[in-house]
Amino acid sequence: MADQWLFKSETYDNCNCSVSCGCQFNEPTTHGNCRFAYVGTVVAGHFNGTPLAGLNWSLLCIFPGEIEEGNGKRQIIIDERANEAQRIALERIISGEACRPLSNHFSVFGSLCTEFLETLFLPINLEVNLQLRTANVDIPGVVKSVGRPIINKFNGEPFHIALARPAGSFEFLYGEIGRGTTSVSGDMEMAFENSWALFCVHHYDQDGLIRERSRLT
């Protein structure tokens, strides 16, 4: 029998594009290439009989050109608190190997990468508030990132922008938009400042995106 699983994550994503990320509008990237760091907390989930809730994860990718051109490099980081069964389960989900092909963004990214670095098992310190559009990430020795809302330059207040994807998306249905600053050390070295940040719920099973109304809306 095929694997039966559920993955529901509150996720912070920071990439090197401007705050009008081309991926969401069928437009080219800002700089002609794509570098990003996803970090999330599984708020509900299982893989067959293995529970996953409460564990953190990260996905790092570098594409030398437009994502659709491929030749990407990928590294997965999994919460060191996960036991062996949970590590295997999360790695299979985040690699995109456990779902119907191309049915979620993990599978799409995996299909466009040609270099796959060894999965790391590390402490992932993550504080994220989707509604406030804030995040603090520390994966010691590898990733540091801070996410914040866009600030209205006229009154100094948070500038609230959100993106709805009622159809056509394989990643999310609704996301809050902010700015992020990230630095990554090691084999996936990259850095970007005050660029696109997305705060969303990734809700998948083995068949792809679960089209359930997000609690954010």
Side-chain angles (χ1 to χ4, degrees):
M1 183 180 71
D3 294 316
Q4 302 292 305
W5 54 271
L6 175 73
F7 177 89
K8 189 174 186 179
S9 170
E10 297 192 350
T11 305
Y12 161 64
D13 161 34
N14 186 202
C15 80
N16 64 326
C17 276
S18 72
V19 292
S20 55
C21 175
C23 286
Q24 306 303 331
F25 303 97
N26 278 337
E27 294 289 337
T29 58
T30 302
H31 306 290
N33 61 76
C34 181
R35 300 163 182 262
F36 62 73
Y38 282 85
V39 191
T41 296
V42 183
V43 295
H46 62 84
F47 191 86
N48 298 323
T50 300
L52 301 176
L55 297 173
N56 296 333
W57 61 277
S58 179
L59 172 66
L60 310 175
C61 284
I62 296 175
F63 290 90
E66 299 297 334
I67 294 178
E68 65 195 48
E69 296 171 359
N71 296 315
K73 179 165 68 171
R74 183 189 77 187
Q75 186 162 49
I76 295 168
I77 307 173
I78 292 173
D79 198 325
E80 68 171 7
R81 298 175 298 157
N83 62 33
E84 184 65 21
Q86 290 170 325
R87 292 181 179 197
I88 292 170
L90 284 173
E91 188 170 25
R92 292 204 64 214
I93 291 171
I94 298 165
S95 68
E97 296 173 358
C99 66
R100 182 167 51 82
L102 307 183
S103 65
N104 66 38
H105 79 299
F106 294 139
S107 178
V108 171
F109 290 147
S111 74
L112 293 167
C113 287
T114 53
E115 185 175 354
F116 303 93
L117 302 185
E118 180 181 2
T119 297
L120 303 178
F121 302 96
L122 296 171
I124 300 176
N125 303 303
L126 170 64
E127 297 176 2
V128 61
N129 186 309
L130 303 186
Q131 287 92 345
L132 296 180
R133 305 176 296 289
T134 62
N136 285 282
V137 178
D138 182 16
I139 305 176
V142 184
V143 180
K144 286 190 177 294
S145 186
V146 176
R148 293 290 181 263
I150 299 167
I151 300 300
N152 188 321
K153 67 180 181 180
F154 298 105
N155 60 18
E157 297 295 321
F159 195 62
H160 193 177
I161 305 173
L163 180 63
R165 297 291 308 273
S169 176
F170 48 69
E171 184 179 359
F172 64 92
L173 297 182
Y174 178 94
E176 299 279 358
I177 299 172
R179 293 186 184 272
T181 295
T182 294
S183 63
V184 178
S185 304
D187 293 331
M188 297 291 290
E189 183 176 0
M190 53 181 153
F192 25 91
E193 185 175 0
N194 291 325
S195 54
W196 163 272
L198 176 71
F199 302 81
C200 72
V201 175
H202 287 128
H203 195 184
Y204 306 143
D205 64 14
Q206 64 280 348
D207 297 315
L209 178 68
I210 295 175
R211 308 195 68 81
E212 176 184 83
R213 186 179 178 88
S214 170
R215 70 175 181 81
L216 294 175
T217 53

